[in-house]
Every structure is written in structure tokens, then in C-alpha cells.
Amino acid sequence: MKKTGIFGVAVSIGILSFSGFYNLNNPPTTQPVEPAPVIEQDPSKQIAYKPSDKGFPRYLTKSEKDCLVENLYHEARGESKKGQEAVVYVVLNRAMSETRKYGASNNICDIVKAPYAFSWYDGTVKAIKNPTAWDKAVAVVESVLVSYSLKNSPVKDATHYVNKKKAT
């Protein structure tokens, strides 16, 4: 609704808010957004992934994202892209699990490094011997984070998988 102001200028009736102009006839829809964590001085605790209206729904620190990439590299670097995406989804599904069967924490590093969680992790630091595979793991993790959706997941809400070649 436009009205003429005292100087003959058309003005729009509404309320100015910090996020811009708020139209009284068409209020914006709001979704709960997780508050941004405090910015840490420690680089490993700085934010590496911020949730948006699509994708994984919570913040990840740099160390969590690094753990996710490291897990993918060691656990599935020889798999197809779809197989690698499945591994990332399993870890993220564990982080989102309400049951917390994987320890009290939903921290990605705690999940990846939990006893017997993944075949590669035995408590020792593993070398990165294939930089190309590492770069691919980074790209797959970033792709899954921004497109995370159980509807599109290759594993749905699965929190475990089995490698039939290694299973006895």
C-alpha cells in the first residue's frame, strides 16, 4: 500500500528491521537456525562449515571436517564416488543420531575415533601417501555437506555398513 508523504513522495507502509524491509502484508517465514558458535583462536576449533537451508544442519569445526576427510581417505579412498559418499553419510548420520550409541558426543572426531568404529583407526597417526585421493576426499566431503539430505542419501539413515570382503 503506497501513500503520499508530506513532501509528495510515495512511501511504503511497513516496519524497517535490521534484516531489511519487513512488509506487513507478507511476513517472512522463519526457520530455527542454530546460533553461531563463538569464534575460537585455535584454528582447529574455527568454523569450517556453516549450515544453510540445505545441507548438513549443524556447524562443523575445522578439526571435525578434517576428521571426516581423514576417515574418508583411510576408509574408502579406493571406492567409487557413490561409495565414498555413503561413508560420509554414515558418519554424519551417527552425528545426528538421537541414541548416541557411539559415545556421549556428537563430535565427528569422537565418532570417527571411537573404538572399533572404522577399520583404519587404531589410535595411531596414519600418513597421507596419495595427495590426489586426499583432494578427492576433500571434494566428496564438501559436496555431501552442502547437499546432505536423508531423502537423497545413498544409505538413507544408516549408521553402519559392512565390507563383505573383510567380514568373516
mmCIF file of all heavy atoms in Angstrom, residues 87-130:
data_model
loop_
_atom_site.group_PDB
_atom_site.id
_atom_site.type_symbol
_atom_site.label_atom_id
_atom_site.label_comp_id
_atom_site.label_asym_id
_atom_site.label_seq_id
_atom_site.Cartn_x
_atom_site.Cartn_y
_atom_site.Cartn_z
ATOM 1 N N VAL A 87 30.035 -43.497 2.896
ATOM 2 C CA VAL A 87 30.829 -43.475 4.130
ATOM 3 C C VAL A 87 30.633 -42.145 4.857
ATOM 4 O O VAL A 87 30.444 -42.115 6.080
ATOM 5 C CB VAL A 87 32.323 -43.742 3.836
ATOM 6 C CG1 VAL A 87 33.183 -43.495 5.069
ATOM 7 C CG2 VAL A 87 32.520 -45.168 3.326
ATOM 8 N N VAL A 88 30.652 -41.046 4.124
ATOM 9 C CA VAL A 88 30.451 -39.734 4.747
ATOM 10 C C VAL A 88 29.061 -39.663 5.373
ATOM 11 O O VAL A 88 28.903 -39.197 6.507
ATOM 12 C CB VAL A 88 30.655 -38.593 3.722
ATOM 13 C CG1 VAL A 88 30.328 -37.243 4.343
ATOM 14 C CG2 VAL A 88 32.081 -38.600 3.202
ATOM 15 N N TYR A 89 28.038 -40.139 4.657
ATOM 16 C CA TYR A 89 26.677 -40.127 5.197
ATOM 17 C C TYR A 89 26.580 -40.947 6.482
ATOM 18 O O TYR A 89 25.908 -40.545 7.432
ATOM 19 C CB TYR A 89 25.672 -40.661 4.172
ATOM 20 C CG TYR A 89 25.012 -39.567 3.368
ATOM 21 C CD1 TYR A 89 25.515 -39.182 2.138
ATOM 22 C CD2 TYR A 89 23.872 -38.923 3.841
ATOM 23 C CE1 TYR A 89 24.904 -38.179 1.402
ATOM 24 C CE2 TYR A 89 23.252 -37.926 3.114
ATOM 25 C CZ TYR A 89 23.769 -37.557 1.891
ATOM 26 O OH TYR A 89 23.169 -36.567 1.169
ATOM 27 N N VAL A 90 27.234 -42.086 6.535
ATOM 28 C CA VAL A 90 27.179 -42.915 7.742
ATOM 29 C C VAL A 90 27.735 -42.146 8.940
ATOM 30 O O VAL A 90 27.141 -42.139 10.019
ATOM 31 C CB VAL A 90 27.920 -44.257 7.528
ATOM 32 C CG1 VAL A 90 28.219 -44.948 8.845
ATOM 33 C CG2 VAL A 90 27.102 -45.165 6.622
ATOM 34 N N VAL A 91 28.861 -41.468 8.758
ATOM 35 C CA VAL A 91 29.447 -40.694 9.862
ATOM 36 C C VAL A 91 28.502 -39.558 10.268
ATOM 37 O O VAL A 91 28.241 -39.355 11.457
ATOM 38 C CB VAL A 91 30.835 -40.125 9.477
ATOM 39 C CG1 VAL A 91 31.378 -39.238 10.589
ATOM 40 C CG2 VAL A 91 31.814 -41.256 9.183
ATOM 41 N N LEU A 92 27.974 -38.828 9.287
ATOM 42 C CA LEU A 92 27.067 -37.718 9.600
ATOM 43 C C LEU A 92 25.782 -38.222 10.250
ATOM 44 O O LEU A 92 25.248 -37.578 11.158
ATOM 45 C CB LEU A 92 26.769 -36.909 8.339
ATOM 46 C CG LEU A 92 27.976 -36.200 7.717
ATOM 47 C CD1 LEU A 92 27.575 -35.494 6.428
ATOM 48 C CD2 LEU A 92 28.623 -35.231 8.689
ATOM 49 N N ASN A 93 25.294 -39.371 9.806
ATOM 50 C CA ASN A 93 24.102 -39.955 10.434
ATOM 51 C C ASN A 93 24.376 -40.309 11.892
ATOM 52 O O ASN A 93 23.508 -40.153 12.755
ATOM 53 C CB ASN A 93 23.620 -41.179 9.672
ATOM 54 C CG ASN A 93 23.003 -40.837 8.336
ATOM 55 O OD1 ASN A 93 22.705 -39.677 8.052
ATOM 56 N ND2 ASN A 93 22.827 -41.840 7.500
ATOM 57 N N ARG A 94 25.572 -40.786 12.180
ATOM 58 C CA ARG A 94 25.929 -41.078 13.572
ATOM 59 C C ARG A 94 25.943 -39.794 14.394
ATOM 60 O O ARG A 94 25.495 -39.778 15.539
ATOM 61 C CB ARG A 94 27.295 -41.765 13.655
ATOM 62 C CG ARG A 94 27.284 -43.181 13.145
ATOM 63 C CD ARG A 94 28.639 -43.841 13.298
ATOM 64 N NE ARG A 94 28.660 -45.127 12.614
ATOM 65 C CZ ARG A 94 29.651 -45.990 12.701
ATOM 66 N NH1 ARG A 94 30.710 -45.728 13.454
ATOM 67 N NH2 ARG A 94 29.602 -47.136 12.045
ATOM 68 N N ALA A 95 26.454 -38.709 13.788
ATOM 69 C CA ALA A 95 26.490 -37.427 14.498
ATOM 70 C C ALA A 95 25.085 -36.905 14.776
ATOM 71 O O ALA A 95 24.856 -36.238 15.785
ATOM 72 C CB ALA A 95 27.271 -36.399 13.689
ATOM 73 N N MET A 96 24.141 -37.219 13.918
ATOM 74 C CA MET A 96 22.766 -36.748 14.077
ATOM 75 C C MET A 96 21.901 -37.721 14.872
ATOM 76 O O MET A 96 20.776 -37.413 15.219
ATOM 77 C CB MET A 96 22.123 -36.511 12.708
ATOM 78 C CG MET A 96 22.788 -35.413 11.901
ATOM 79 S SD MET A 96 22.825 -33.825 12.753
ATOM 80 C CE MET A 96 21.079 -33.461 12.813
ATOM 81 N N SER A 97 22.427 -38.894 15.177
ATOM 82 C CA SER A 97 21.652 -39.920 15.861
ATOM 83 C C SER A 97 21.232 -39.458 17.259
ATOM 84 O O SER A 97 22.029 -38.912 18.019
ATOM 85 C CB SER A 97 22.479 -41.201 15.986
ATOM 86 O OG SER A 97 21.825 -42.135 16.796
ATOM 87 N N GLU A 98 19.982 -39.696 17.595
ATOM 88 C CA GLU A 98 19.465 -39.332 18.913
ATOM 89 C C GLU A 98 19.909 -40.323 19.989
ATOM 90 O O GLU A 98 19.933 -40.003 21.160
ATOM 91 C CB GLU A 98 17.937 -39.276 18.878
ATOM 92 C CG GLU A 98 17.387 -38.186 17.982
ATOM 93 C CD GLU A 98 17.688 -36.794 18.498
ATOM 94 O OE1 GLU A 98 17.714 -36.599 19.722
ATOM 95 O OE2 GLU A 98 17.921 -35.901 17.661
ATOM 96 N N THR A 99 20.224 -41.540 19.596
ATOM 97 C CA THR A 99 20.515 -42.578 20.587
ATOM 98 C C THR A 99 21.910 -42.476 21.176
ATOM 99 O O THR A 99 22.163 -43.006 22.239
ATOM 100 C CB THR A 99 20.334 -43.975 19.966
ATOM 101 O OG1 THR A 99 21.223 -44.103 18.859
ATOM 102 C CG2 THR A 99 18.902 -44.181 19.514
ATOM 103 N N ARG A 100 22.812 -41.829 20.493
ATOM 104 C CA ARG A 100 24.196 -41.677 20.952
ATOM 105 C C ARG A 100 24.832 -43.013 21.320
ATOM 106 O O ARG A 100 25.498 -43.142 22.331
ATOM 107 C CB ARG A 100 24.287 -40.720 22.138
ATOM 108 C CG ARG A 100 23.806 -39.334 21.847
ATOM 109 C CD ARG A 100 24.848 -38.569 21.041
ATOM 110 N NE ARG A 100 24.355 -37.242 20.758
ATOM 111 C CZ ARG A 100 23.832 -36.881 19.596
ATOM 112 N NH1 ARG A 100 23.745 -37.731 18.615
ATOM 113 N NH2 ARG A 100 23.403 -35.665 19.413
ATOM 114 N N LYS A 101 24.618 -44.005 20.483
ATOM 115 C CA LYS A 101 25.246 -45.303 20.702
ATOM 116 C C LYS A 101 26.756 -45.229 20.491
ATOM 117 O O LYS A 101 27.479 -46.145 20.807
ATOM 118 C CB LYS A 101 24.685 -46.338 19.714
ATOM 119 C CG LYS A 101 23.236 -46.662 19.931
ATOM 120 C CD LYS A 101 22.774 -47.648 18.882
ATOM 121 C CE LYS A 101 21.292 -47.858 18.946
ATOM 122 N NZ LYS A 101 20.797 -48.667 17.846
ATOM 123 N N TYR A 102 27.197 -44.136 19.940
ATOM 124 C CA TYR A 102 28.591 -44.015 19.511
ATOM 125 C C TYR A 102 29.394 -43.174 20.480
ATOM 126 O O TYR A 102 30.365 -42.551 20.139
ATOM 127 C CB TYR A 102 28.617 -43.416 18.096
ATOM 128 C CG TYR A 102 27.486 -43.978 17.298
ATOM 129 C CD1 TYR A 102 26.335 -43.244 17.081
ATOM 130 C CD2 TYR A 102 27.524 -45.291 16.861
ATOM 131 C CE1 TYR A 102 25.266 -43.797 16.407
ATOM 132 C CE2 TYR A 102 26.450 -45.850 16.195
ATOM 133 C CZ TYR A 102 25.330 -45.094 15.975
ATOM 134 O OH TYR A 102 24.263 -45.638 15.330
ATOM 135 N N GLY A 103 28.977 -43.130 21.715
ATOM 136 C CA GLY A 103 29.617 -42.318 22.727
ATOM 137 C C GLY A 103 28.698 -41.153 23.085
ATOM 138 O O GLY A 103 27.689 -40.918 22.445
ATOM 139 N N ALA A 104 29.051 -40.431 24.094
ATOM 140 C CA ALA A 104 28.202 -39.340 24.570
ATOM 141 C C ALA A 104 28.258 -38.126 23.646
ATOM 142 O O ALA A 104 27.427 -37.257 23.719
ATOM 143 C CB ALA A 104 28.629 -38.935 25.975
ATOM 144 N N SER A 105 29.232 -38.078 22.780
ATOM 145 C CA SER A 105 29.456 -36.905 21.954
ATOM 146 C C SER A 105 28.880 -37.070 20.553
ATOM 147 O O SER A 105 28.786 -38.176 20.033
ATOM 148 C CB SER A 105 30.962 -36.669 21.847
ATOM 149 O OG SER A 105 31.242 -35.634 20.953
ATOM 150 N N ASN A 106 28.523 -35.948 19.941
ATOM 151 C CA ASN A 106 28.178 -35.977 18.523
ATOM 152 C C ASN A 106 29.282 -35.309 17.715
ATOM 153 O O ASN A 106 29.091 -34.968 16.565
ATOM 154 C CB ASN A 106 26.814 -35.331 18.265
ATOM 155 C CG ASN A 106 26.807 -33.849 18.519
ATOM 156 O OD1 ASN A 106 27.758 -33.293 19.066
ATOM 157 N ND2 ASN A 106 25.741 -33.194 18.130
ATOM 158 N N ASN A 107 30.442 -35.140 18.321
ATOM 159 C CA ASN A 107 31.601 -34.578 17.645
ATOM 160 C C ASN A 107 32.123 -35.586 16.623
ATOM 161 O O ASN A 107 32.315 -36.766 16.935
ATOM 162 C CB ASN A 107 32.682 -34.242 18.677
ATOM 163 C CG ASN A 107 33.917 -33.648 18.041
ATOM 164 O OD1 ASN A 107 34.700 -34.354 17.403
ATOM 165 N ND2 ASN A 107 34.097 -32.357 18.231
ATOM 166 N N ILE A 108 32.351 -35.126 15.404
ATOM 167 C CA ILE A 108 32.778 -36.013 14.312
ATOM 168 C C ILE A 108 34.066 -36.747 14.664
ATOM 169 O O ILE A 108 34.191 -37.953 14.407
ATOM 170 C CB ILE A 108 32.954 -35.217 12.996
ATOM 171 C CG1 ILE A 108 31.641 -34.542 12.577
ATOM 172 C CG2 ILE A 108 33.519 -36.093 11.891
ATOM 173 C CD1 ILE A 108 30.528 -35.464 12.183
ATOM 174 N N CYS A 109 35.033 -36.070 15.270
ATOM 175 C CA CYS A 109 36.305 -36.730 15.614
ATOM 176 C C CYS A 109 36.089 -37.833 16.645
ATOM 177 O O CYS A 109 36.687 -38.908 16.544
ATOM 178 C CB CYS A 109 37.316 -35.716 16.122
ATOM 179 S SG CYS A 109 37.814 -34.515 14.869
ATOM 180 N N ASP A 110 35.230 -37.583 17.625
ATOM 181 C CA ASP A 110 34.931 -38.617 18.622
ATOM 182 C C ASP A 110 34.259 -39.823 17.974
ATOM 183 O O ASP A 110 34.519 -40.965 18.349
ATOM 184 C CB ASP A 110 34.029 -38.062 19.724
ATOM 185 C CG ASP A 110 34.717 -37.007 20.578
ATOM 186 O OD1 ASP A 110 35.959 -36.907 20.524
ATOM 187 O OD2 ASP A 110 33.995 -36.280 21.294
ATOM 188 N N ILE A 111 33.402 -39.570 17.001
ATOM 189 C CA ILE A 111 32.703 -40.660 16.312
ATOM 190 C C ILE A 111 33.675 -41.480 15.477
ATOM 191 O O ILE A 111 33.692 -42.703 15.535
ATOM 192 C CB ILE A 111 31.571 -40.088 15.431
ATOM 193 C CG1 ILE A 111 30.474 -39.520 16.327
ATOM 194 C CG2 ILE A 111 31.024 -41.128 14.465
ATOM 195 C CD1 ILE A 111 29.483 -38.634 15.612
ATOM 196 N N VAL A 112 34.518 -40.793 14.703
ATOM 197 C CA VAL A 112 35.467 -41.474 13.820
ATOM 198 C C VAL A 112 36.491 -42.273 14.626
ATOM 199 O O VAL A 112 36.877 -43.375 14.235
ATOM 200 C CB VAL A 112 36.179 -40.443 12.909
ATOM 201 C CG1 VAL A 112 37.397 -41.027 12.230
ATOM 202 C CG2 VAL A 112 35.200 -39.885 11.885
ATOM 203 N N LYS A 113 36.908 -41.729 15.761
ATOM 204 C CA LYS A 113 37.980 -42.352 16.545
ATOM 205 C C LYS A 113 37.478 -43.202 17.702
ATOM 206 O O LYS A 113 38.265 -43.651 18.536
ATOM 207 C CB LYS A 113 38.943 -41.272 17.028
ATOM 208 C CG LYS A 113 39.641 -40.599 15.841
ATOM 209 C CD LYS A 113 40.523 -39.466 16.219
ATOM 210 C CE LYS A 113 41.166 -38.886 14.972
ATOM 211 N NZ LYS A 113 42.042 -37.760 15.252
ATOM 212 N N ALA A 114 36.180 -43.464 17.739
ATOM 213 C CA ALA A 114 35.636 -44.355 18.763
ATOM 214 C C ALA A 114 36.185 -45.765 18.533
ATOM 215 O O ALA A 114 36.430 -46.170 17.395
ATOM 216 C CB ALA A 114 34.111 -44.361 18.699
ATOM 217 N N PRO A 115 36.396 -46.532 19.602
ATOM 218 C CA PRO A 115 36.922 -47.896 19.434
ATOM 219 C C PRO A 115 36.058 -48.727 18.487
ATOM 220 O O PRO A 115 34.836 -48.758 18.617
ATOM 221 C CB PRO A 115 36.894 -48.463 20.850
ATOM 222 C CG PRO A 115 36.912 -47.263 21.736
ATOM 223 C CD PRO A 115 36.178 -46.182 20.994
ATOM 224 N N TYR A 116 36.693 -49.341 17.527
ATOM 225 C CA TYR A 116 36.071 -50.251 16.555
ATOM 226 C C TYR A 116 35.057 -49.577 15.630
ATOM 227 O O TYR A 116 34.276 -50.261 14.984
ATOM 228 C CB TYR A 116 35.405 -51.438 17.270
ATOM 229 C CG TYR A 116 36.311 -52.093 18.269
ATOM 230 C CD1 TYR A 116 36.120 -51.916 19.630
ATOM 231 C CD2 TYR A 116 37.406 -52.863 17.855
ATOM 232 C CE1 TYR A 116 36.965 -52.494 20.558
ATOM 233 C CE2 TYR A 116 38.258 -53.437 18.773
ATOM 234 C CZ TYR A 116 38.037 -53.259 20.122
ATOM 235 O OH TYR A 116 38.881 -53.828 21.033
ATOM 236 N N ALA A 117 35.065 -48.246 15.561
ATOM 237 C CA ALA A 117 34.101 -47.551 14.714
ATOM 238 C C ALA A 117 34.436 -47.724 13.234
ATOM 239 O O ALA A 117 33.550 -47.965 12.421
ATOM 240 C CB ALA A 117 34.032 -46.073 15.067
ATOM 241 N N PHE A 118 35.702 -47.607 12.888
ATOM 242 C CA PHE A 118 36.133 -47.744 11.497
ATOM 243 C C PHE A 118 37.405 -48.576 11.456
ATOM 244 O O PHE A 118 38.246 -48.494 12.345
ATOM 245 C CB PHE A 118 36.335 -46.363 10.855
ATOM 246 C CG PHE A 118 35.038 -45.617 10.716
ATOM 247 C CD1 PHE A 118 34.639 -44.705 11.678
ATOM 248 C CD2 PHE A 118 34.195 -45.861 9.645
ATOM 249 C CE1 PHE A 118 33.426 -44.041 11.573
ATOM 250 C CE2 PHE A 118 32.987 -45.206 9.523
ATOM 251 C CZ PHE A 118 32.596 -44.290 10.491
ATOM 252 N N SER A 119 37.544 -49.355 10.413
ATOM 253 C CA SER A 119 38.616 -50.354 10.343
ATOM 254 C C SER A 119 40.019 -49.754 10.330
ATOM 255 O O SER A 119 40.953 -50.372 10.806
ATOM 256 C CB SER A 119 38.427 -51.246 9.115
ATOM 257 O OG SER A 119 38.490 -50.481 7.927
ATOM 258 N N TRP A 120 40.198 -48.564 9.825
ATOM 259 C CA TRP A 120 41.531 -47.992 9.688
ATOM 260 C C TRP A 120 42.074 -47.423 10.993
ATOM 261 O O TRP A 120 43.281 -47.346 11.178
ATOM 262 C CB TRP A 120 41.548 -46.893 8.620
ATOM 263 C CG TRP A 120 40.820 -45.645 9.039
ATOM 264 C CD1 TRP A 120 39.492 -45.398 8.882
ATOM 265 C CD2 TRP A 120 41.371 -44.510 9.701
ATOM 266 N NE1 TRP A 120 39.185 -44.166 9.407
ATOM 267 C CE2 TRP A 120 40.320 -43.585 9.911
ATOM 268 C CE3 TRP A 120 42.647 -44.162 10.147
ATOM 269 C CZ2 TRP A 120 40.496 -42.359 10.529
ATOM 270 C CZ3 TRP A 120 42.826 -42.931 10.766
ATOM 271 C CH2 TRP A 120 41.758 -42.053 10.941
ATOM 272 N N TYR A 121 41.202 -47.019 11.906
ATOM 273 C CA TYR A 121 41.671 -46.277 13.073
ATOM 274 C C TYR A 121 42.055 -47.205 14.215
ATOM 275 O O TYR A 121 41.236 -47.949 14.733
ATOM 276 C CB TYR A 121 40.618 -45.272 13.567
ATOM 277 C CG TYR A 121 41.168 -44.396 14.661
ATOM 278 C CD1 TYR A 121 42.083 -43.401 14.361
ATOM 279 C CD2 TYR A 121 40.839 -44.609 15.988
ATOM 280 C CE1 TYR A 121 42.634 -42.619 15.353
ATOM 281 C CE2 TYR A 121 41.385 -43.826 16.992
ATOM 282 C CZ TYR A 121 42.279 -42.834 16.671
ATOM 283 O OH TYR A 121 42.839 -42.068 17.654
ATOM 284 N N ASP A 122 43.328 -47.118 14.600
ATOM 285 C CA ASP A 122 43.823 -47.925 15.716
ATOM 286 C C ASP A 122 44.538 -47.068 16.760
ATOM 287 O O ASP A 122 45.291 -47.574 17.582
ATOM 288 C CB ASP A 122 44.745 -49.035 15.209
ATOM 289 C CG ASP A 122 45.977 -48.499 14.490
ATOM 290 O OD1 ASP A 122 46.196 -47.258 14.479
ATOM 291 O OD2 ASP A 122 46.725 -49.305 13.915
ATOM 292 N N GLY A 123 44.306 -45.761 16.695
ATOM 293 C CA GLY A 123 44.923 -44.859 17.661
ATOM 294 C C GLY A 123 46.233 -44.260 17.199
ATOM 295 O O GLY A 123 46.802 -43.417 17.889
ATOM 296 N N THR A 124 46.737 -44.676 16.064
ATOM 297 C CA THR A 124 47.995 -44.130 15.562
ATOM 298 C C THR A 124 47.727 -43.161 14.411
ATOM 299 O O THR A 124 46.702 -43.242 13.735
ATOM 300 C CB THR A 124 48.931 -45.248 15.057
ATOM 301 O OG1 THR A 124 48.296 -45.928 13.976
ATOM 302 C CG2 THR A 124 49.258 -46.230 16.160
ATOM 303 N N VAL A 125 48.664 -42.270 14.194
ATOM 304 C CA VAL A 125 48.559 -41.308 13.094
ATOM 305 C C VAL A 125 48.974 -42.024 11.812
ATOM 306 O O VAL A 125 50.006 -42.698 11.770
ATOM 307 C CB VAL A 125 49.472 -40.091 13.351
ATOM 308 C CG1 VAL A 125 49.459 -39.147 12.163
ATOM 309 C CG2 VAL A 125 49.052 -39.382 14.623
ATOM 310 N N LYS A 126 48.159 -41.886 10.797
ATOM 311 C CA LYS A 126 48.437 -42.524 9.504
ATOM 312 C C LYS A 126 48.902 -41.455 8.509
ATOM 313 O O LYS A 126 48.366 -40.343 8.481
ATOM 314 C CB LYS A 126 47.171 -43.186 8.948
ATOM 315 C CG LYS A 126 46.505 -44.157 9.890
ATOM 316 C CD LYS A 126 47.185 -45.490 9.858
ATOM 317 C CE LYS A 126 46.368 -46.535 10.560
ATOM 318 N NZ LYS A 126 46.879 -46.956 11.810
ATOM 319 N N ALA A 127 49.865 -41.806 7.703
ATOM 320 C CA ALA A 127 50.394 -40.881 6.696
ATOM 321 C C ALA A 127 49.429 -40.769 5.518
ATOM 322 O O ALA A 127 48.724 -41.721 5.186
ATOM 323 C CB ALA A 127 51.748 -41.367 6.203
ATOM 324 N N ILE A 128 49.435 -39.608 4.893
ATOM 325 C CA ILE A 128 48.679 -39.382 3.664
ATOM 326 C C ILE A 128 49.666 -39.602 2.527
ATOM 327 O O ILE A 128 50.552 -38.787 2.289
ATOM 328 C CB ILE A 128 48.102 -37.951 3.609
ATOM 329 C CG1 ILE A 128 47.280 -37.638 4.853
ATOM 330 C CG2 ILE A 128 47.316 -37.733 2.330
ATOM 331 C CD1 ILE A 128 46.122 -38.566 5.105
ATOM 332 N N LYS A 129 49.541 -40.721 1.838
ATOM 333 C CA LYS A 129 50.508 -41.097 0.810
ATOM 334 C C LYS A 129 50.031 -40.786 -0.604
ATOM 335 O O LYS A 129 50.800 -40.879 -1.536
ATOM 336 C CB LYS A 129 50.829 -42.588 0.924
ATOM 337 C CG LYS A 129 51.493 -42.949 2.236
ATOM 338 C CD LYS A 129 51.774 -44.425 2.331
ATOM 339 C CE LYS A 129 52.419 -44.767 3.668
ATOM 340 N NZ LYS A 129 52.669 -46.187 3.817
ATOM 341 N N ASN A 130 48.753 -40.447 -0.753
ATOM 342 C CA ASN A 130 48.201 -40.202 -2.081
ATOM 343 C C ASN A 130 47.476 -38.853 -2.080
ATOM 344 O O ASN A 130 46.297 -38.784 -1.755
ATOM 345 C CB ASN A 130 47.246 -41.339 -2.453
ATOM 346 C CG ASN A 130 46.709 -41.231 -3.857
ATOM 347 O OD1 ASN A 130 46.674 -40.157 -4.441
ATOM 348 N ND2 ASN A 130 46.274 -42.353 -4.392
#
